[in-house]
Amino acid sequence: MRAVTTRSELEARLRGVAARLVVRSLARAGFSGLGGAGLGLGLGVLFLDALPRLLFSSTGGVLPVVLCGVAGAIAGAALSLRRFEAPTLHDAALALEARLAHDTGALGAALRVDDSSAFYRPLMAQAGADFVSAAASPAPVLISTSRLVAVSLIALASGVAFAWAVSAGAPAVEGAVTPPDTTAAGWAPVDIGGGRSEADRAALREVLGLKETAATLNRAATTLRDAGASRPDKQRALEDAKSAISSSDTATMEILPDELPGDADGQSVLADKLDVIAGELKGRASGIEADGGVATRDSGGDGGFNHDVAPRNLALFTVQTGRSASPRGMLATQTPERRAMAQRAVAALERIRNE
């Protein structure tokens, strides 16, 4: 480094030192803001998300937590810059003198000595030597090791807690009814038993397909009869009808023409054919349903009752509260029908013994 010989050159170099001092102050303020942001974010997660989630099954949301982090960053940076003042040339000279093992005070004095003084030349020479020596010395520690470790741990813990709060989502409200999973049990509305066979499912799909095809044919017939519909619309309706029939009955599709009839009477006749085919498809669907192809699972019985058997009036029996030691007392407590039956049994037993 070239030696300093004039005051203007010394001042120019000290301005660079002052700029570096400003940058170091801003770096300290940014690191303090990082620590404040981590602390504010952690407190926000604790008091606005974790505790309300555990105690009240609610949460303040992500935005208030982020605002806590921003407020912490602003507070940390402001706390670090509360006494900051733009360094002057004299401050820069003092900062360089603090690096020297033997401070002569020449840097600060060289800024105040008059150019006509007899001490100007030797003082500038000593100031130049001190400047070179200070520039070669290591600068003071920007951030202490303990502060660096503490702020890093706070920022890491707060970041992990914030990630957990974001991924946790909305808390489950106690007592809320969870909608059923219709994807896992798609046949629940039609199968109470929950154990439908493949034949039942195939029958249900067939019924739904027949009904959908019949609805398509009815719409096509309505379009063909509509006097206000254009010919392209009617041709498209005919093609839709043939496409729908092809999935259920190929033979029926072959009786329909590929081109739309040119006159209104032919279109009306074609619409009548579509209505007839739609009625047949609906009948087939009703037949499958009537045959029990889509019935729910039951105990295995046919569900019918034998109405040919005449109903029988059974004798009423009283509630037995206890047994009497006397046979006569036991018979006296019975209903008249019960006593008559007992008498018939006794008479039949005597008849058998006499034979």
Side-chain angles (χ1 to χ4, degrees), residues 97-173:
E97 290 177 354
R99 301 183 186 183
L100 297 175
H102 302 284
D103 182 18
T104 61
L107 288 172
L111 297 175
R112 297 187 300 270
V113 69
D114 189 22
D115 295 346
S116 60
S117 174
F119 299 99
Y120 177 75
R121 292 295 178 183
L123 191 60
M124 289 301 301
Q126 184 62 40
D130 290 347
F131 186 91
V132 173
S133 178
S137 301
V141 177
L142 181 63
I143 299 172
S144 62
T145 304
S146 58
R147 188 180 180 188
L148 179 64
V149 173
V151 171
S152 301
L153 290 178
I154 292 174
L156 179 61
S158 300
V160 172
F162 181 71
W164 169 82
V166 172
S167 61
V173 180

Side-chain angles (χ1 to χ4, degrees), residues 158-198:
S158 300
V160 172
F162 181 71
W164 169 82
V166 172
S167 61
V173 180
E174 185 177 358
V177 178
T178 304
D181 187 6
T182 57
T183 58
W187 298 97
V190 295
D191 183 12
I192 300 175
R196 298 187 64 86
S197 63
E198 291 297 332

Side-chain angles (χ1 to χ4, degrees), residues 10 24 43 45 69 72-73 91 184 203 205 219 240 248 251 270 281 295 309:
L10 178 62
R24 289 172 64 89
L43 294 177
V45 171
D91 295 334
R205 285 193 291 268
R219 289 195 299 268
D240 293 341
S248 58
L270 181 58
L281 295 178
V309 179

